[in-house]
Amino acid sequence: MDRAAVFNEYLRRKGLKNTKQRMTILEAFQGSKFHYSTEELYLELRKDHPKIGYATVHRTLKLFAECGIAIELNFGDGQSRFEPLNENQHHDHLVCTNCGLIIEFMEPRIENLQGQVAARYDFKIESHRHELYGLCSNCAKQR
Amino acid sequence: MDRAAVFNEYLRRKGLKNTKQRMTILEAFQGSKFHYSTEELYLELRKDHPKIGYATVHRTLKLFAECGIAIELNFGDGQSRFEPLNENQHHDHLVCTNCGLIIEFMEPRIENLQGQVAARYDFKIESHRHELYGLCSNCAKQR
DNA sequence: CGGGATATTGAAAATGACATTCAGAAGCTA
DNA sequence: TAGCTTCTGAATGTCATTTTCAATATCCCG
C-alpha cells in the first residue's frame, strides 16, 4: 500500500474528504527527498499551483503525520520539517533482559540526531546499532 | 569543575559579565531536578526575586546551553525546556571501520528520545548501547 | 580606588511559526 | 442532483521567543 492509498484510506475512515489540493500537496511532498517545512513546501507548490494557501499546506502536512505517511522532525531551527515515511524503515530494538522479548522500534528523530552527531565530528556514518536493554512491561510487573 | 565554575569561565572567555541576576538564575536552575521552561523558571524565580525579567531568564538559559552546563530539550509541547547537564554523562561511540578510531560522543537529546521510545512500549530501560559505524574524517578523505 | 568603555537589564514591542476563523466552494452520500 | 458536511484560502489570532532601547551595572585599567 503506497502513501496515497494509506492517506485515502485514512481520510475515508475519518470522514474527511479527498480534495484536489490534498492530492496535489501529497504529490509534491512525495516527489522530493527534501525535508520540507510548511513554508518551503508552500513556496514550492506556489510555482505550479498559485492558488493553494499556506494554511492548507500546513493542515495537510499535519494530516500526513497523523496518518503515518510522514514524520514531523525538529532540527532546532524553530521550524517543523516533514519527512516522507516508508513502510520498511530501518528499525532498532528494545531487548528484555528477563524474558528475552524483542520489540522493534523506529524513531526517525534518533536517526536524525545521529546524523547531527556525525556531522559534529566530520564522520560519515555507514551503519549503526542501537539497542535498549531493560525490562518489558510484563517482567517489570513481576518484580 | 562545577557548573558555576564552567559558567564563569565561559563568561570571562567571551568577555561577558558576571551579574547578580545570572548567578541567581543559575542557582535556581541547578537546585531543581525539574525540566524548566523559560516561563516556569521565570515564575519560580519571581517569588524571591520579583525584579528579574522574563527576557533575562530566557537569555541566561540560552547561555547555559551555549556553555554546556545545560541542554535544551524539546518535548513537542511547543516550549523549550532546559536540563542541567553533568560532566560525567553517559556517552556513546563513533567507530571508524577503516582505522579503528573511536570517538566518544554525548547527545542528551538521543537519551531523551530513547526514554520516549521506551515509554511508548511501557519498557523500563536499564542500559543501552549505541554505536555509529563509518569513516572518520581522515579515512573518508583517503578514499 | 575611581573613570569610562562595554555589556546587561527589564519593560515593551516585534517577530515568526503555527493555529483558528469564516464565508464561499467543493466533495460525498443517498 | 439535493443537501449536508467538510474544505479552502485570506485574514486574523495566539503564543513562545527575540529584539529594542534607555537606564544601570560590571569590569578593566591606570
Side-chain angles (χ1 to χ4, degrees), chain B residues 132-143:
Chain B
L132 310 183
Y133 300 89
L135 296 177
C136 69
S137 180
N138 278 332
C139 293
K141 276 179 208 151
Q142 288 165 22
R143 291 289 165 99

